Amino acid sequence: MRASVPERVEQGGGDAVREPLRSKARPLVVDVDEVMVRGSSVPADLVFDLIRRLRAFAVAITAFFGPQAQSTHGDPSGFDPSRAQFDRDAVRFLLQVLGEGRPVYLCSETHPEPFVSAVAQHLGVFTAWAAAPGRQLPAARREELPPVLRQGFDYIGSAAVALPDSASRLARPARSEPPAPAQVGMRSWLKLFRVHQYAKNALVLVPLLTAHKFASGSAATSLLAVIAFSLCASGAYILNDLLDVEADRAHPTKRGRPIASGAIPASRAVGAMALALVAAFAIALSISIEFGGVLLGYFVLTTSYSFWLKRIATVDVVVLATLYTVRVIGGAVAISVPMSEWLLAFSLFIFMSLALVKRYIELAGQPDGAVLAARGYQVEDKSMIAILAAASGFNAVVIFTLYISSDTVRALYSHPQLLWVGCPILMYWIGRVMLFAQRGLIDDDPVIFALRDRVSWVALGAIGAIMLAAI
């Protein structure tokens, strides 16, 4: 696209202002700022510039640990033209000029080449482009111009740019006003906070049930802990969406997320993230300093996952399983009960299984030979991931059977033998999830699938009833 464009199409000394389209055969040179809505030509706002730098640092670290996905960021300036506002009237005028058979060149004396190139390729209306930022304008000399412009050209741009005698300055079409900020609906905010994911934080209640702490005070504390984890998770989800905005825009389903689609500006998303995190830790510290420490550990781990751990194969699923387990640990710390080693081991294996199922589902939707975006997996890894998922799931069942035979269970249950009935139910549910994943009947997250699946609720209710009967 850049070929045939000289270094300095912007020089000149003619100052006569003419009406557009008066000369039908002359090339037209346009400054890049003339196709932008005022205030939108900053190569990268502070939020995305910081995110870009942090992501680059994370990718560098990831290279030491394992394979990583190819970067989707082609513009080293950090500018994303899909986020910019372009002057529709100016672009419409340039299309009219092209329709008359005149070449149209994009230029800039202030912006770097990657920026000008990104704008030119995004709009697709320019014959070629050129950029020479940071250079002083010498006296206009006709011989310095490219051959295609030496016979004369029209220019739309800054009045400070001198033009040669053979060039003329065109009157610019009326500039479009920036659109008024759209009102953000409640649905977009709910999607940004991932409220539908809050059900996962019910895991915080598990120690309350397994330790048989049914007093109202313990229940209220556990509910506050659920709220704290939910708000903290929302802050982490928003951060993840900010980090993955370019990859999400290229994803067939994730491109509808509020930040990726532009429904919520990045600056407002950052404010919402800060508000959620402040509220989460305020609630956590009101419960106890220890619980606040657990929540902080959860946030640090999930942030590390968003920045670089998710790009390392097998490490990502281990971290996911740990994040689920930390919720259970947080529930125990909140009501000041010892964390059962049996519950800890069971949680790690069952959630490792579900994390592997999630990766299997993502790989199953990829074409042969593809690499999972922002991950270190290939489609050929599907069979191994399925084996590991099944092994982890049934290891959780083995741990449950060992728990039934332990001395710990006899101190909590009057009829521990009834708990054996829960084993085949658990085996059935794990096998069913694996089978549905194999058949492509689970869209994305198996945890979300289970929360929407009637059979899963029946299985959970049956196991709960068995545990109550065994007390």
Side-chain angles (χ1 to χ4, degrees):
M1 180 116 186
R2 185 183 173 195
S4 81
V5 181
E7 291 187 357
R8 305 196 65 79
V9 298
E10 306 87 347
Q11 299 186 62
D15 293 325
V17 178
R18 302 186 301 101
E19 292 299 321
L21 300 179
R22 179 169 295 179
S23 299
K24 302 297 184 182
R26 289 159 65 92
L28 176 63
V29 178
V30 183
D31 188 271
V32 68
D33 285 331
E34 299 302 311
V35 297
M36 312 283 289
V37 172
R38 292 188 187 277
S40 68
S41 59
V42 180
D45 56 59
L46 294 177
V47 173
F48 282 99
D49 185 59
L50 176 62
I51 288 171
R52 178 176 59 86
R53 293 174 186 274
L54 290 174
R55 186 189 290 113
F57 176 72
V59 169
I61 294 178
T62 306
F64 288 98
F65 291 90
Q68 62 191 59
Q70 293 294 325
S71 173
T72 59
H73 315 294
D75 175 14
S77 74
F79 172 68
D80 182 358
S82 65
R83 295 201 311 269
Q85 297 176 7
F86 292 98
D87 191 321
R88 289 173 294 179
D89 291 338
V91 175
R92 191 180 298 114
F93 169 71
L94 296 180
L95 288 172
Q96 183 182 355
V97 172
L98 280 175
E100 301 252 346
R102 300 175 60 187
V104 179
Y105 300 98
L106 185 68
C107 69
S108 178
E109 283 284 351
T110 57
H111 295 294
E113 288 188 2
F115 179 86
V116 180
S117 174
V119 171
Q121 295 184 49
H122 179 75
L123 294 177
V125 299
F126 298 101
T127 306
W129 60 267
R135 295 172 57 182
Q136 298 294 322
L137 288 176
R141 292 194 297 269
R142 182 175 177 275
E143 59 271 15
E144 289 187 3
L145 295 174
V148 71
L149 299 181
R150 289 175 185 173
Q151 301 304 315
F153 63 92
D154 293 331
Y155 174 76
I156 297 177
S158 173
V161 174
L163 299 177
D165 294 336
S166 60
S168 300
R169 200 179 305 274
L170 286 188
R172 189 200 184 286
R175 184 181 290 276
S176 301
E177 292 298 324
Q183 292 294 325
V184 181
M186 181 57 66
R187 184 176 181 182
S188 295
W189 286 114
L190 294 177
K191 287 180 66 176
L192 179 69
F193 276 75
R194 309 268 186 95
V195 174
H196 64 284
Q197 300 275 10
Y198 283 3
K200 295 178 180 180
N201 298 309
L203 294 169
V204 176
L205 302 175
V206 170
L208 180 76
L209 302 176
T210 56
H212 305 164
K213 297 286 186 179
F214 302 123
S216 58
S218 298
T221 301
S222 293
L223 289 175
L224 282 175
V226 170
I227 295 173
F229 263 99
S230 297
L231 291 173
C232 185
S234 288
Y237 287 138
I238 295 173
L239 177 61
N240 183 75
D241 287 352
L242 288 168
L243 292 171
D244 287 348
V245 62
E246 285 89 357
D248 287 349
R249 283 173 178 152
H251 195 276
T253 58
K254 293 180 180 180
R255 63 187 177 188
R257 289 178 173 175
I259 300 176
S261 65
I264 296 180
S267 57
R268 299 181 70 178
V270 170
M273 177 183 69
L275 182 62
L277 292 175
V278 169
F281 284 101
I283 295 172
L285 292 175
S286 71
I287 295 174
S288 69
I289 295 177
E290 292 78 10
F291 178 74
V294 173
L295 191 65
L296 178 61
Y298 169 84
F299 180 72
V300 170
L301 185 59
T302 191
T303 302
S304 300
Y305 174 82
S306 296
F307 272 107
W308 61 285
L309 293 178
K310 67 181 181 182
R311 295 177 174 84
I312 307 174
T314 67
V315 170
D316 63 326
V317 289
V318 173
V319 173
L320 281 177
T322 303
L323 288 172
Y324 282 117
T325 306
V326 169
R327 290 175 168 96
V328 180
I329 296 173
V333 172
I335 59 175
S336 301
V337 297
M339 180 64 191
S340 168
E341 294 180 356
W342 294 106
L343 180 59
L344 179 63
F346 177 84
S347 300
L348 281 172
F349 277 102
I350 193 68
F351 294 130
M352 179 70 174
S353 176
L354 295 177
L356 286 163
V357 169
K358 178 179 174 65
R359 289 292 176 263
Y360 177 87
I361 294 168
E362 292 173 345
L363 284 172
Q366 300 294 318
D368 291 341
V371 176
L372 192 59
R375 303 290 190 270
Y377 298 98
Q378 299 179 357
V379 174
E380 292 74 14
D381 300 329
K382 246 187 340 183
S383 58
M384 177 56 67
I385 290 175
I387 293 171
L388 293 174
S392 296
F394 282 91
N395 274 341
V397 178
V398 172
I399 291 172
F400 185 65
T401 61
L402 294 174
Y403 168 71
I404 297 173
S405 305
S406 69
D407 295 333
T408 304
V409 77
R410 295 187 181 90
L412 292 171
Y413 296 92
S414 302
H415 308 285
Q417 64 275 10
L418 291 177
L419 297 177
W420 284 100
V421 182
C423 291
I425 298 175
L426 188 59
M427 293 168 64
Y428 161 75
W429 183 80
I430 293 171
R432 184 172 181 270
V433 168
M434 294 296 304
L435 188 62
F436 275 33
Q438 172 72 27
R439 294 177 177 177
L441 300 177
I442 301 178
D443 294 331
D444 185 19
D445 194 330
V447 176
I448 298 299
F449 163 78
L451 293 172
R452 297 172 179 172
D453 180 44
R454 187 176 302 174
V455 174
S456 297
W457 279 104
V458 171
L460 178 63
I463 293 176
I466 292 168
M467 294 179 71
L468 288 175
I471 296 177

